[in-house]
Amino acid sequence: MNPLKNRLIAPAAAAVLIVLSSSLQSRTWTSADGAKTFEGELQSYDVASGKVSVTLPNRKRMTFTQDKLSEDDIAWLKKNGGRSGGSTTEVKELPDELPDPDGGDGDMSKPVQVYILLGQSNMLGAGKPSTLQGVAAEKYPYLVDDAGEWTVRKDVRNVRVMCSGTGPSKDYTNDWMTIQGNIGPEIGIGHYVGHVTDAPVMILKSCIGNRSLGWDLLPPGSEPYEHGGKTQPGYRGTPNDPKGNGEPVQGEWYAGCQYDGDIAAAKKVLDDLDKYYPGAKEYEVAGFFWWQGDKDMRNAAHYEMYEKNLIQLIKSLRKDFDAPDARFVTASLGQTKKGSQGGDGKILDAMEAVAKSDDPELEDKVAFVYTHPLSKGGSSSGHYGGNPETYMNVGEAMGKAMVE
């Protein structure tokens, strides 16, 4: 099953997103300086922010601010944006403190909004629920009800699968969002994204520990490069054959082997949607979350290429899941302070640079979370001592970053 075109969640300040009917969409657009024109179908116009989303004839979606358009186009948007032929979707305002889940189901007339979580063991999660039980009422009150029992979100599905490389994947979690077993950032993410989304939500985690972006998770399109007098493999290459032939290497670990496995495992879930979100018929991949870097920080050939590889990762994920406008949130390692000159600092800098990029494919679509102030001690290699507050704090911040 192919996902529908992505519906962007508006900022938490939460203006109304106006989606026009197809009879109003097709037109010729002109750039602000009048030098260029293009054909496209208007998909959405956010009156408050001025953001415009247009689908091109090749079915790729382009999102930009209205100041890129001519005065006539802007006037047309303002005049036609409220035509009754379209529909409106409101996104709730993000409160200072989340309320307990209301126990209601998601609106199954709408496609499931899927958020895919990727990375290594930090994303996998080692937060201890027994410790969380003692602080939840005070610090994360939406996690527990008046009787002290874990609350359950029945509008957010929590799914976790895992594989090693391209080996068979295994289901570990397939249930409504609640606390059961060790936690990662998915709990905070799921509650914040679920609260503001007026459609069913799936948090889909597909990752395993001890994997690097520069090798195991290297995305499609990555080419071999020289570092320290050695040729580093490109996607589906090996040390002995850095270029490869574009096909998976049989019987041998190769660059991107875990990328291939994680993506295949996630797609397997989406291909059997009703099993993982009962009653669901359609879905859209709305965004990606990425918490990773512990292995790359130990290898200069990897951390020095992290920014380039991260950009390629974002582009590859959007292509693989047919989600050209999907938003992307990345988070630094908890022990890393800004200004660090080590490999961990280089990775933090790379993440922040990508989030600040003015590349049209990245601008306003990528967010970065600085996690050092959120961490309760320990380090990524020690899984933060299993402290659940670190995982909750980082998850909440990543969820907020996605909707804001």
Side-chain angles (χ1 to χ4, degrees), residues 230-253:
K230 295 181 179 179
T231 302
Q232 304 297 317
Y235 176 63
R236 291 183 173 172
T238 66
N240 292 328
D241 183 10
K243 180 70 174 176
N245 62 6
E247 298 297 323
V249 182
Q250 301 301 317
E252 184 179 355
W253 199 270

Side-chain angles (χ1 to χ4, degrees), residues 247-316:
E247 298 297 323
V249 182
Q250 301 301 317
E252 184 179 355
W253 199 270
Y254 58 87
C257 186
Q258 193 63 53
Y259 177 94
D260 286 352
D262 287 347
I263 298 328
K267 287 184 174 182
K268 183 180 177 183
V269 170
L270 298 177
D271 285 343
D272 197 4
L273 187 63
D274 182 65
K275 174 183 175 182
Y276 296 93
Y277 205 120
K281 308 259 185 227
E282 299 175 318
Y283 71 89
E284 301 170 344
V285 174
F288 301 95
F289 291 91
W290 177 257
W291 195 16
Q292 192 272 347
D294 185 87
K295 188 176 180 182
D296 291 86
M297 74 177 183
R298 307 169 195 281
N299 187 327
H302 295 170
Y303 66 67
E304 290 178 8
M305 289 290 288
Y306 202 91
E307 181 177 342
K308 182 176 181 179
N309 288 339
L310 184 59
I311 292 172
Q312 189 61 35
L313 176 73
I314 295 169
K315 294 180 178 181
S316 296

Side-chain angles (χ1 to χ4, degrees), residues 36-334:
K36 297 179 181 178
T37 61
F38 65 95
E39 298 293 323
E41 296 180 358
L42 180 64
Q43 297 300 311
S44 64
Y45 173 49
D46 187 339
V47 178
S49 68
K51 285 189 178 179
V52 183
S53 185
V54 175
T55 297
L56 305 177
N58 63 5
R59 306 315 300 165
K60 290 186 177 181
R61 182 174 288 193
M62 180 169 59
T63 301
F64 49 86
T65 52
Q66 65 182 22
D67 60 359
K68 303 293 194 298
L69 296 172
S70 67
E71 291 182 2
D72 286 346
D73 284 338
I74 294 172
W76 184 89
L77 285 168
K78 291 180 177 179
K79 179 180 178 181
N80 293 286
R83 289 275 183 94
S84 59
S87 62
T88 60
T89 299
E90 291 188 7
V91 177
K92 298 177 185 176
E93 186 173 351
L94 195 62
D96 293 333
E97 183 176 294
L98 287 185
D100 286 359
D102 61 12
D105 298 334
D107 182 353
M108 300 305 290
S109 69
K110 299 178 179 179
V112 176
Q113 301 299 294
V114 178
Y115 293 88
I116 299 176
L117 281 56
L118 301 158
Q120 56 180 119
S121 58
N122 282 208
M123 183 61 87
L124 197 60
K128 299 172 183 176
S130 57
T131 305
L132 181 61
Q133 185 87 51
V135 300
E138 176 188 357
K139 297 186 175 182
Y140 317 102
Y142 57 88
L143 292 183
V144 291
D145 60 21
D146 293 339
E149 300 295 326
W150 297 121
T151 57
V152 180
R153 286 204 76 99
K154 292 192 174 179
D155 55 350
V156 178
R157 199 73 181 173
N158 184 18
V159 178
R160 179 168 78 90
V161 293
M162 188 167 69
C163 61
S164 179
T166 55
S169 61
K170 179 181 177 181
D171 292 359
Y172 282 84
T173 307
N174 179 18
D175 209 340
W176 301 114
M177 182 63 69
T178 189
I179 305 296
Q180 48 181 323
N182 286 353
I183 70 162
E186 71 280 352
I187 303 298
I189 289 171
H191 276 274
Y192 272 84
V193 172
H195 180 76
V196 302
T197 307
D198 67 342
V201 170
M202 177 187 288
I203 302 300
L204 172 52
K205 185 192 295 188
S206 181
C207 62
I208 192 172
N210 194 33
R211 299 293 188 261
S212 63
L213 176 59
W215 168 241
D216 314 279
L217 293 161
L218 194 70
S222 302
E223 296 291 337
Y225 63 97
E226 297 296 320
H227 185 275
K230 295 181 179 179
T231 302
Q232 304 297 317
Y235 176 63
R236 291 183 173 172
T238 66
N240 292 328
D241 183 10
K243 180 70 174 176
N245 62 6
E247 298 297 323
V249 182
Q250 301 301 317
E252 184 179 355
W253 199 270
Y254 58 87
C257 186
Q258 193 63 53
Y259 177 94
D260 286 352
D262 287 347
I263 298 328
K267 287 184 174 182
K268 183 180 177 183
V269 170
L270 298 177
D271 285 343
D272 197 4
L273 187 63
D274 182 65
K275 174 183 175 182
Y276 296 93
Y277 205 120
K281 308 259 185 227
E282 299 175 318
Y283 71 89
E284 301 170 344
V285 174
F288 301 95
F289 291 91
W290 177 257
W291 195 16
Q292 192 272 347
D294 185 87
K295 188 176 180 182
D296 291 86
M297 74 177 183
R298 307 169 195 281
N299 187 327
H302 295 170
Y303 66 67
E304 290 178 8
M305 289 290 288
Y306 202 91
E307 181 177 342
K308 182 176 181 179
N309 288 339
L310 184 59
I311 292 172
Q312 189 61 35
L313 176 73
I314 295 169
K315 294 180 178 181
S316 296
L317 289 171
R318 288 173 173 167
K319 181 179 180 181
D320 273 333
F321 289 96
D322 192 22
D325 289 322
R327 295 185 177 189
F328 192 95
V329 175
T330 186
S332 61
L333 300 174

